[in-house]
Amino acid sequence: MNLQGKHLIAPHDLTMAETDGLFALAEKIIAAPEDYADVCRGKLLATLFYEPSTRTRLSFEAAMLRLGGRVIGFSEPQSSSAAKGESLADTIRSIACYADIAVMRHPKEGAAFVAAQNSEIPLINAGDGGHFHPTQTLTDLLTIRHEKRRLDGLTVGLCGDLKFGRTVHSLICAFARYTGVKFVLISPDELRVPEYVCAEMHDYSEVRDLADALPELDVLYMTRVQRERFFNEEDYIRLKDSYILDAAKLKNAKSDLMILHPLPRVNEIATDVDDDPRAFYFRQMKFGMYVRMALLAALLGKA
Ligand code: CP
C-alpha cells in the first residue's frame, strides 16, 4: 500500500486493496498503539470545518496527536477569512503553506474536490454536503470487519435519510465492491437513495417498513433525518420520525445483528436499545479514531 501524497475525496479514491491495507494497519495500531506514538512527529494536520462536527473533527485531532503530530485549524468558518469572502481555492492554497495534510468538512457537494484541485498537500474529505463522507465509511467497515471477521456475504439494511445521507452514499459505494453483499434500503419515498448511488449496487431491494426488513439483516445502519439538508421545514417535520428503532422491534432480529449509526442520533434509536449487545454505535466511534490514525500515517508516507 503506497498512499503517500494522495487525496481522499470519494470512496473510489481507494482501491479495495488499499482499503483492506488501511484496515490491516488500523488493526495493528489497535493491538499496539505505543508502536505508532511517534510516527507523525514533526507533522502538522489542518482541520478546516465549515460545518459542525463532534466525532469527525475530534477523532482526526486525537488521531494526529496519538501519532505524535500536531494540529491547527478552525471549527467555525466565521472565524476564518471565508467570512471576508475568500474563495475555497485561496484558503486551501494558504493552508498548504503551513500544514502537511488537511481534513475539510463543507456544506456544499463537490467542495472537497475543488479544494483538492488547489491543494499541494493531501486533502481528506470529512463530508461534502449530502454527497460523500469516505472516512465515516472506513470507520463503518472497520467496525464490521473487526466484529464479524469478514465483509463478504452480508445483508445490510440502511434506514432513514438515504437521499441526503452522505455516510450512506459512501458506505454503499465501498461495501458494494465486496462479494455477495445484499442491500435492503429502508426509507420513505421522498428519501430514497439517489440514482447515481443505486448504480453501484449489484443486489438491492427498497422497502418502506423497518420491522418487516429486520429479521434478515446482519447489519442495520440507522441514520438521522437531517434538518439542515431540507429546504422546507414542513417536509422535515413530516419525515423526521419516519423510523424509530426500539427494543420491542429488535425481538425479531438476528442474535448477531450489528446496529450501527454514524451519529449524532436524534430520535431514530430509542435509548432502550443502548444496552443491547447488538448496539455497536458507541463502540463504532473508537474504530473511527484508529482508522483515521492509519489513514493519516499512510497519506503522510509514514506507514
Ligand atoms: N459521524 C459524523 O460525521 O459525526 P460528526 O458530525 O459529529 O462529525
Side-chain angles (χ1 to χ4, degrees), residues 49 51-59 105 126-127 133 136 140 166-167 221 224 228 261-264 284-285 292:
F49 277 69
E51 257 194 352
S53 169
T54 296
R55 277 146 291 273
T56 310
R57 184 171 67 84
L58 295 179
S59 65
R105 170 170 290 184
H133 189 348
Q136 181 64 46
D140 303 336
R166 58 194 176 197
T167 63
Y221 196 83
R224 172 176 69 96
E228 64 272 30
H261 191 310
L263 303 177
Q284 188 180 348
M285 286 186 279
R292 287 172 176 125

Side-chain angles (χ1 to χ4, degrees), residues 158-162 165 167-168 221-225 260-262 264 268:
L158 299 117
C159 180
D161 176 2
L162 309 188
T167 63
V168 168
Y221 196 83
M222 292 297 294
T223 62
R224 172 176 69 96
V225 175
L260 301 181
H261 191 310
E268 60 280 358

Side-chain angles (χ1 to χ4, degrees), residues 85-141:
E86 184 172 61
S87 71
L88 190 54
D90 285 359
T91 298
I92 197 71
R93 281 190 197 106
S94 309
I95 298 301
C97 295
Y98 312 137
D100 301 292
I101 189 165
V103 55
M104 187 184 87
R105 170 170 290 184
H106 199 282
K108 286 197 180 143
E109 292 81 5
F113 177 76
V114 171
Q117 298 288 97
N118 291 280
S119 179
E120 289 181 6
I121 58 174
L123 187 109
I124 301 168
N125 179 10
D128 60 328
H131 189 211
F132 285 140
H133 189 348
T135 66
Q136 181 64 46
T137 294
L138 294 175
T139 302
D140 303 336
L141 292 180

Side-chain angles (χ1 to χ4, degrees):
M1 177 180 63
N2 181 6
L3 293 176
Q4 184 172 8
K6 289 193 173 180
H7 304 300
L8 176 57
I9 308 304
H12 307 94
D13 292 340
L14 295 172
T15 65
M16 280 183 79
E18 287 165 345
T19 304
D20 290 336
L22 286 175
F23 295 151
L25 177 57
E27 292 288 2
K28 283 189 194 169
I29 295 171
I30 290 168
E34 63 282 2
D35 290 351
Y36 297 85
D38 271 330
V39 301
C40 286
R41 185 157 304 283
K43 296 294 181 186
L44 197 53
L45 167 70
T47 57
L48 319 175
F49 277 69
Y50 294 82
E51 257 194 352
S53 169
T54 296
R55 277 146 291 273
T56 310
R57 184 171 67 84
L58 295 179
S59 65
F60 263 112
E61 294 190 5
M64 192 52 158
L65 294 170
R66 284 173 184 269
L67 291 168
R70 287 180 291 173
V71 181
I72 57 172
F74 57 81
S75 57
E76 171 49 65
Q78 289 308 312
S79 69
S80 80
S81 283
K84 300 178 215 162
E86 184 172 61
S87 71
L88 190 54
D90 285 359
T91 298
I92 197 71
R93 281 190 197 106
S94 309
I95 298 301
C97 295
Y98 312 137
D100 301 292
I101 189 165
V103 55
M104 187 184 87
R105 170 170 290 184
H106 199 282
K108 286 197 180 143
E109 292 81 5
F113 177 76
V114 171
Q117 298 288 97
N118 291 280
S119 179
E120 289 181 6
I121 58 174
L123 187 109
I124 301 168
N125 179 10
D128 60 328
H131 189 211
F132 285 140
H133 189 348
T135 66
Q136 181 64 46
T137 294
L138 294 175
T139 302
D140 303 336
L141 292 180
L142 177 63
T143 309
I144 299 166
R145 184 184 183 270
H146 185 90
E147 178 66 18
K148 292 207 177 283
R149 300 279 154 206
R150 67 189 166 111
L151 291 169
D152 294 321
L154 297 172
T155 298
V156 181
L158 299 117
C159 180
D161 176 2
L162 309 188
K163 178 178 179 179
F164 299 113
R166 58 194 176 197
T167 63
V168 168
H169 305 162
S170 288
L171 183 57
I172 289 174
C173 292
F175 219 156
R177 298 192 291 187
Y178 290 86
T179 305
V181 174
K182 182 179 165 192
F183 296 96
V184 182
L185 310 176
I186 309 154
S187 75
D189 258 340
E190 295 94 327
L191 297 177
R192 289 168 59 204
V193 173
E195 272 304 315
Y196 77 93
V197 179
C198 284
E200 301 283 331
M201 291 178 279
H202 311 291
D203 186 354
Y204 73 95
S205 57
E206 293 186 282
V207 301
R208 301 286 159 263
D209 195 276
L210 171 59
D212 286 352
L214 257 174
E216 68 167 317
L217 303 181
D218 300 304
V219 175
L220 172 60
Y221 196 83
M222 292 297 294
T223 62
R224 172 176 69 96
V225 175
Q226 304 167 90
R227 174 179 238 141
E228 64 272 30
R229 305 276 175 243
F230 280 79
F231 295 112
N232 177 332
E233 179 76 2
E234 278 174 24
D235 286 346
Y236 168 71
I237 289 169
R238 182 168 50 81
L239 294 169
K240 69 184 175 67
D241 291 327
S242 297
Y243 301 102
I244 298 176
L245 180 70
D246 57 20
K249 283 200 185 79
L250 281 171
K251 290 208 168 79
N252 293 324
K254 289 184 180 176
S255 59
D256 63 349
L257 171 72
M258 290 183 74
I259 305 164
L260 301 181
H261 191 310
L263 303 177
R265 73 167 155 189
V266 185
N267 282 330
E268 60 280 358
I269 302 180
T271 53
D272 67 4
V273 178
D274 293 354
D275 293 330
D276 189 303
R278 294 169 289 187
F280 276 82
Y281 35 91
F282 294 128
R283 283 172 273 176
Q284 188 180 348
M285 286 186 279
K286 210 158 193 177
F287 288 103
M289 182 184 72
Y290 288 124
V291 84
R292 287 172 176 125
M293 289 174 76
L295 180 65
L296 290 171
L299 296 181
L300 288 167
K302 300 292 181 186

